[in-house]
Amino acid sequence: MEPIDEAIDERALFARAPSGTADFVVIANRLPIHHSPTQGTSEWRPSPGGLVTALTSVLQSRNGLWIGWPGVSDDIEAPCTFEGIALSAVAISADEYEEFYLGFSNATLWPLYHDAIRAPTFHRAWWATYQRINHRFATAAARSVAPNGTVWIHDYQLQLVPAMLRAMRPDVRIGFFLHIPFPPSELFTQLPWRRELITGLLGADLIGFQVPHAASNFSRIARRLVGATGTDSVLHYDGRVIRAGAFPITVDTTLITATVADRRVRERAAEIRRDLGNPEVVLLGVDRLDYTKGIQQRLTAVSEMFASGELVAGTHVVVQVAVPSRESDAHYDLERHNLEQVVSAMNGDHGFVGSPVIHYLHQNMPFEELVALYLAADIMLVTPFRDGMNLVAKEYVACREDLTGKLILSEFAGAAAELRGAFMVNPHDLDGIKESISLALKAAPSEIRARMLRMRRKVFRRDVSDWAQSFLSALNSGSAASESHEFDQSSSINSATDVATREG
Ligand code: GDG
């Protein structure tokens, strides 16, 4: 790997320096808290999300430490603890944020790993910064982890950390989990620094992916590019054994069940339907405003159904929540602009006074409001072009206790491998989306119940804490155990290559 300015002889440094004391260290791009200046005296608040929930209890019980970027500039000091967990903030300057986060992470890796839906941008300066920041995270972990401790690294922003950390601290056990897809070789090998990323990941003892196909993509590439040997689940490289497997992430079913049971949330769901004009059918989309999520195409399909009269203003209403995301990126800006044109054309063409056909919310909302929306929606539209898992689909299923509710789901979301009771669609096929919505609208209640029951059995089999435990026990036992048995691989499509093979 290229020399980097912060790199000194790590082996020598850590051989001399005393080790840290944390038995278990989590490294993620962000700390589990965020700065929110509008909230009065307490300016730091826990970040929502299953990852934080899943890891909090493990960290609390194991003298844990969470290393991450606090999300604000250095002049605002992040707290040292959160709910009894030690926090270690890694500083990232504004220029580094541009090159490491917006640049290499989100304009190179994100599109490349999502089927190159937008052309990935390759910049040598971004790559240099990516290496430097990864090294900074690895050094922070090397300084903090106790002898023979465990480090769990998360996601695509930190793929070099496993090998960097191993070089500094060969005594520790290292796990890595990728939350997004791992692309097939045809795409991955476009990356000028493809070998460095693969050897970076191979520094881990266990590499977890959302679906088995991603693990196979990785292992095949590792064999081809850097001469690793072995199978898709057990690789040999540099005299070590590296395991790769699928550990599909899931939702916090305990929190969702408690939220659904909350009378105020149920009343809010009823109120939402009243506010929408008591339509017969509410169709809902909830996505980060991201070009991978297929929002425009889905709404175009729905708009065509209003045009043809299959959907009728007043009877059918769409709610689209598009959570603001990566707003300083031009691709995201364009996506928002185009989406807002589709939304306004839908209302302009098909709505009438007092009955817009779509309600568009470009905002963050409390989790309780999200659950109220899930409860208010008859049809949930989840149609990403490519998605590591997609937790929205699982959250919707977890909310629908009464076994009503229909899920239209992209076959290219990791969740499709588990949620076989959904109405499956190819998100690029507008007619296919229309057909699935039609089928969902006409389906008999008994069919809907059977589909929802099938999906709920899957979702309630494991909580997000079970997901974390299963990864950590595989990491600590050194077994190749993955959760691949969760999948119905014969009926899911998980890569561009698979589609080509099927259709060819
Ligand atoms: C990445 C991968 C993988 C959304 N709006 C609000 C809100 N949310 C919550 C949802 C859900 C989460 O955000 C979105 O998760 P997704 O899985 O759908 O998508 P990504 O953000 O792209 O996540 C993905 C995931 O990592 C986990 O591994 O599944 O494939 O791309 O939980 O509920 N939460 C609140 N307010 C909102 O407005 N509170």
Side-chain angles (χ1 to χ4, degrees):
M1 196 169 287
E2 297 279 304
I4 33 184
D5 52 9
E6 288 177 25
I8 42 177
D9 186 348
E10 296 104 357
R11 279 170 214 265
L13 174 70
F14 288 101
R16 282 197 309 272
S19 297
T21 54
D23 294 320
F24 177 50
V25 175
V26 167
I27 317 183
N29 181 45
R30 291 294 300 266
L31 284 175
I33 50 171
H34 65 278
H35 191 249
S36 130
T38 52
Q39 302 293 330
T41 49
S42 166
E43 293 198 328
W44 288 91
R45 296 167 59 80
S47 298
L51 187 63
V52 177
T53 316
L55 296 176
T56 300
S57 61
V58 195
L59 283 157
Q60 283 164 340
S61 64
R62 292 183 56 179
N63 178 30
L65 169 75
W66 187 308
I67 297 175
W69 177 54
V72 285
S73 63
D74 304 354
D75 46 326
I76 302 171
E77 200 175 326
C80 302
T81 57
F82 154 74
E83 296 191 2
I85 301 164
L87 302 181
S88 169
V90 171
I92 296 179
S93 71
D95 287 349
E96 288 172 337
Y97 175 78
E98 288 277 326
E99 298 197 339
F100 159 71
Y101 185 71
L102 299 176
F104 199 79
S105 299
N106 289 340
T108 305
L109 295 175
W110 180 267
L112 186 68
Y113 282 33
H114 287 89
D115 289 359
I117 293 160
R118 295 283 180 279
T121 308
F122 303 113
H123 270 311
R124 283 167 288 187
W126 293 357
W127 164 242
T129 308
Y130 184 82
Q131 291 176 89
R132 188 165 72 245
I133 302 294
N134 272 247
H135 191 265
R136 198 173 295 163
F137 275 89
T139 308
R143 288 197 175 120
S144 325
V145 63
N148 306 309
T150 300
V151 179
W152 189 2
I153 303 153
H154 288 264
D155 229 1
Y156 62 104
Q157 302 92 349
L158 302 173
Q159 292 174 93
L160 302 178
V161 174
M164 289 173 166
L165 178 59
R166 182 161 299 285
M168 300 178 207
R169 289 292 304 274
D171 59 304
V172 302
R173 208 175 269 278
I174 303 173
F176 180 94
F177 184 77
L178 185 70
H179 289 257
I180 67 172
F182 196 88
S185 168
E186 301 88 295
L187 290 175
F188 184 81
T189 50
Q190 288 179 16
L191 191 71
W193 311 282
R194 55 201 186 183
R195 285 193 183 80
E196 287 86 340
L197 277 196
I198 295 294
T199 52
L201 288 169
L202 285 169
D205 295 294
L206 175 66
I207 310 171
F209 298 88
Q210 300 277 24
V211 291
H213 201 89
S216 318
N217 281 349
F218 169 76
S219 299
R220 270 186 226 136
I221 295 170
R223 289 194 296 262
R224 205 181 117 202
L225 276 187
V226 302
T229 56
T231 64
D232 284 0
S233 55
V234 183
L235 289 163
H236 299 267
Y237 180 74
D238 200 20
R240 297 172 35 249
V241 177
I242 297 103
R243 293 176 167 80
F247 295 83
I249 198 167
T250 190
V251 293
D252 188 348
T253 48
T254 315
L255 172 71
I256 294 172
T257 305
T259 313
V260 168
D262 186 332
R263 188 177 43 81
R264 287 163 304 180
V265 173
R266 291 178 167 280
E267 282 171 6
R268 175 66 191 139
E271 184 181 45
I272 289 171
R273 287 195 75 104
R274 280 197 301 278
D275 288 350
L276 291 171
N278 286 321
E280 271 173 34
V281 180
V282 176
L283 300 99
L284 174 67
V286 174
D287 311 81
R288 247 184 336 94
L289 208 170
D290 193 298
Y291 54 78
T292 61
K293 301 289 184 184
I295 311 173
Q296 272 181 63
Q297 288 69 10
R298 151 206 325 165
L299 292 184
T300 303
V302 171
S303 184
E304 288 180 12
M305 293 179 82
F306 278 108
S308 68
E310 200 169 347
L311 298 181
V312 177
T315 307
H316 302 95
V317 172
V318 182
V319 178
Q320 176 65 54
V321 180
V323 183
S325 181
R326 305 176 192 173
E327 291 188 294
S328 42
D329 182 309
H331 281 315
Y332 287 76
D333 206 38
L334 183 65
E335 183 68 16
R336 177 179 177 187
H337 177 78
N338 292 342
L339 174 59
E340 291 179 354
Q341 283 203 326
V342 173
V343 168
S344 62
M346 277 177 82
N347 279 332
D349 294 344
H350 312 301
F352 52 86
V353 174
S355 289
V357 294
I358 178 162
H359 294 250
Y360 166 71
L361 303 165
H362 179 246
Q363 53 196 253
N364 258 295
M365 52 185 63
F367 187 65
E368 292 75 14
E369 180 71 2
L370 209 54
V371 170
L373 279 167
Y374 290 144
L375 291 175
D378 304 288
I379 299 186
M380 184 80 214
L381 302 163
V382 180
T383 60
F385 295 131
R386 176 68 59 191
D387 217 329
M389 178 53 62
N390 197 292
L391 295 180
V392 166
K394 289 186 171 180
E395 285 164 3
Y396 180 68
V397 168
C399 285
R400 305 301 305 202
E401 267 175 13
D402 62 357
L403 306 184
T404 62
K406 304 146 199 189
L407 175 63
I408 310 281
L409 180 61
S410 163
E411 61 196 37
F412 303 120
E418 294 171 85
L419 303 181
R420 305 307 304 167
F423 291 85
M424 235 36 107
V425 294
N426 169 356
H428 301 275
D429 174 7
L430 267 59
D431 288 337
I433 297 177
K434 288 159 69 176
E435 209 173 296
S436 287
I437 295 174
S438 277
L439 281 175
L441 285 167
K442 290 178 203 138
S446 57
E447 179 191 338
I448 296 308
R449 288 173 67 85
R451 283 174 176 268
M452 187 52 81
L453 197 59
R454 185 175 173 194
M455 294 191 284
R456 284 176 63 83
R457 284 205 181 110
K458 224 30 165 202
V459 169
F460 280 92
R461 211 144 81 181
R462 297 177 309 121
D463 201 292
V464 69
S465 314
D466 301 319
W467 165 79
Q469 286 302 343
S470 71
F471 182 90
L472 289 171
S473 48
L475 175 60
N476 286 313
S477 69
S479 81
S482 78
E483 298 185 344
S484 312
H485 61 274
E486 293 284 337
F487 296 97
D488 177 359
Q489 292 183 62
S490 59
S491 51
S492 71
I493 298 177
N494 274 311
S495 85
T497 332
D498 269 354
V499 177
T501 314
R502 271 184 187 214
E503 292 182 353

